[in-house]
Amino acid sequence: MEALIPVINKLQDVFNTVGADVIQLPQIVVVGTQSSGKSSVLESLVGRDILPRGTGIVTRRPLILQLVHVDPEDCRKTSEENESKRNGRLYRGIEGEEWGKFLHTKSKIYTEFEQIRQEIEAETERISGNNKGISDEPIHLKIFSPHVVNLTLVDLPGITKVPVGDQPKDIEIQIRELILKYISNPNSIILAVTAANTDMATSEALKVAREVDTDGRRTLAVVTKLDLMDAGTDAMDVLMGRVIPVKLGIIGIVNRSQLDINQKKSVADSIRDEYAFLQKKYPSLANRNGTKYLARTLNRLLMHHIRDCLPELKTRLNVLTAQYQSLLNSYGEPVDDKSSTLLQLITKFAAEYCNTIEGTAKYIETTELCGGARICYIFHETFGRTLESVDPLGGLTTIDVLTAIRNATGPRPALFVPEVSFELLVKRQVKRLEEPSLRCVELVHEEMQRIIQHCSNYSTQELLRFPKLHDAIVEVVTSLLRKRLPVTNEMVHNLVAIELAYINTKHPDFADACGLMNNNIEEQRRNRMRDLPSAVPRDKAAAATVSEQTDGGTGNWRGMLRKGEEGMAGDRSMPQSPFSASPQKGYAVNLLDVPVPVSRKLSAREQRDCEVIERLIKSYFLIVRKNIQDSVPKAVMHFLVNHVKDCLQSELVGQLYKTALLNDLLTESEDMAQRRNEAADMLKALQKASQVIAEIRETHLW
């Protein structure tokens, strides 16, 4: 299983090459407060002074440190790490048995660890500034040495409370969020560092670790500075887990003091002194504490953790590979044959546009109606309900009807209600159907405009590669729709005009309505006959009945409009007009005054005539409304929808498929090539990582 950690390091290298953090790899995250000894722990594991030192906050960017064990007998790098071509020559091997590499310096090799420390300081200041600011952008460092065990560690800024220098006021929150970002990775092991000369119960490192690792399965505690405890005290209870138990254990170590660092005391000498201190102070625990035991423990924990995480990693790799393959396919391949590509894109867009109308598109919208379904909704729901909400007698008062009847009779009193008044009033009502009909055309036109965007977003993503072609297609389709709009409006206008041109009172439905009203009027007349007083001569009533039956029994709507005796009596009973009376003394009569209709109680005859006209208007209006509700959608489909479907491809080809426009239309967006390359690199990295996982299975390491 020792080979599992180099495998993870190889996976880390694969994803570092593409600068992506799409896979959460197993690693050890070091957490602690400022000056708790985190850096000393890391340097003890490396065996070299590589980290910046000083007071206050020193680690200001995450440092991802990969320790790679190399054979002490082979001071040259392995074939993957040590081969580079420069000016046609192959360089192998480096001087010294230990070296380091930074990701940001590419292939540069550092054999002097003082240079590594200086590079860390320089890179930190380059991003975070030189006055205590922090950054979440990590520094990647690999150390190759025969004196280290295979580990991947992450050193984070120490937890602090008070901002210093140019640090923002929320520096504590920033550092806390940065720490949580790394330790929230379920594949990480948390190395919680606490100084022995502080109360373990107040450990900030253990507190933040428990927030994400509540059961403690991923947390290992390290107690530093065992040699700095107060005289007469020791850390026996802490190291035995009696104060705060930690599932993965508690390991104590001795750090180098600042004096040791100033005097250039080596890490190796410090480890020897640490061993002697533990044998003297904690002889029973010496073999389970110290830097070397910590390194072996971390190596063992990381190997077992990697083994447990590999199945999930493999699944995640497979999912990401499929996603990036799909993304790369959507970006398309670089264009070789521009003429063929242009024709293909035009044809595909036209087909998708028509399919969206027909409801056979590949991408079906699930959140709202779209395309043909929305057009159907406009026809049968929006337009249909709007027409049904139009009152046949809306805007028409009884006085309007009575005035129209009087105006149609001219200067002579009329025996019958004039037909002209009916036609005048019914045309006025039918005209009201034109506005909702034209609005129906407008709504369908808007939906066909929306289909363009739908096809661009969901159906033909290739168009996003070529923004100029996309804009040109939108312009051509919009222009075609714009040209068809007035033609369709004119046809709909004509449909209403046709209904207004000839009022067909012989329409079968209208004749049936007249017959029904005749029967109702006859029934009312019979009721009136029964209610007549005995003093009224029955022969006169019978004569009136014969006269009415003669005119009304044929089904002609005029028959039911003939005035009856009671109507004449009603006229005689009306007050005389002021014009017929002699002028009173002291008053002058202006014969040019025109009487203005005012609200008053209508006579029986007037009431009857108005009711009959209103019923006829309503009956005929319903017939015309039914015709309009049926014919307008048909006209819109023929003159707008179907015409655009039939002519779309030929219009696009005629306007865009031109040699002079090829280069301009098929110019990719500026970032498309970059995104395609990034997706291709990521896909290669994922495929390579999958191969690494497959090799583990083949070698039975998993």
Side-chain angles (χ1 to χ4, degrees), residues 175-185 208 211-212:
I175 294 177
R176 179 181 177 82
E177 291 177 349
L178 179 60
I179 292 173
L180 289 174
K181 174 183 175 182
Y182 280 88
I183 65 176
S184 297
N185 172 12
V208 72
E211 293 182 16
V212 296

Side-chain angles (χ1 to χ4, degrees), residues 533-634:
S534 59
V536 178
R538 293 292 176 180
D539 55 345
K540 292 184 179 181
T545 302
V546 171
S547 176
E548 289 182 3
Q549 288 178 351
T550 301
D551 291 335
T554 61
N556 190 334
W557 70 280
R558 291 175 178 272
M560 63 181 177
L561 302 179
R562 182 181 181 184
K563 62 181 180 178
E565 292 294 333
E566 63 276 16
M568 297 173 63
D571 289 343
R572 288 193 297 269
S573 64
M574 290 179 64
Q576 292 185 345
S577 172
F579 296 112
S580 62
S582 300
Q584 298 294 328
K585 184 177 180 181
Y587 293 91
V589 177
N590 186 357
L591 295 179
L592 297 181
D593 281 347
V594 178
V596 179
V598 294
S599 298
R600 60 180 175 83
K601 184 176 181 181
L602 301 181
S603 66
R605 178 188 174 184
E606 290 174 336
Q607 184 70 31
R608 183 197 64 186
D609 291 347
C610 290
E611 288 179 358
V612 169
I613 289 293
E614 288 175 354
R615 291 179 181 178
L616 292 174
I617 291 174
K618 183 175 182 180
S619 175
Y620 195 83
F621 179 88
L622 295 179
I623 294 172
V624 175
R625 185 174 72 182
K626 182 178 179 181
N627 295 340
I628 293 297
Q629 190 170 353
D630 179 65
S631 58
V632 167
K634 293 178 179 178

Side-chain angles (χ1 to χ4, degrees), residues 179-217:
I179 292 173
L180 289 174
K181 174 183 175 182
Y182 280 88
I183 65 176
S184 297
N185 172 12
N187 296 333
S188 66
I189 294 176
I190 305 172
L191 190 64
V193 179
T194 304
N197 55 0
T198 61
D199 189 351
M200 191 74 169
T202 63
S203 172
E204 289 287 340
L206 288 175
K207 177 183 176 182
V208 72
R210 285 187 175 181
E211 293 182 16
V212 296
D213 182 31
T214 55
D215 56 2
R217 298 177 59 184

Side-chain angles (χ1 to χ4, degrees), residues 680-697:
D681 292 341
M682 178 56 69
L683 183 60
K684 291 179 181 178
L686 292 169
Q687 292 172 344
K688 188 174 181 180
S690 298
Q691 292 176 358
V692 173
I693 298 295
E695 292 174 0
I696 298 176
R697 296 182 65 94

Side-chain angles (χ1 to χ4, degrees), residues 657-676:
Y657 191 62
K658 299 177 182 179
T659 306
L661 299 177
L662 284 177
N663 292 330
D664 185 50
L665 293 178
L666 294 182
T667 301
E668 285 189 321
S669 59
E670 296 180 358
D671 60 338
M672 182 58 67
Q674 178 182 352
R675 287 191 290 176
R676 185 192 299 111

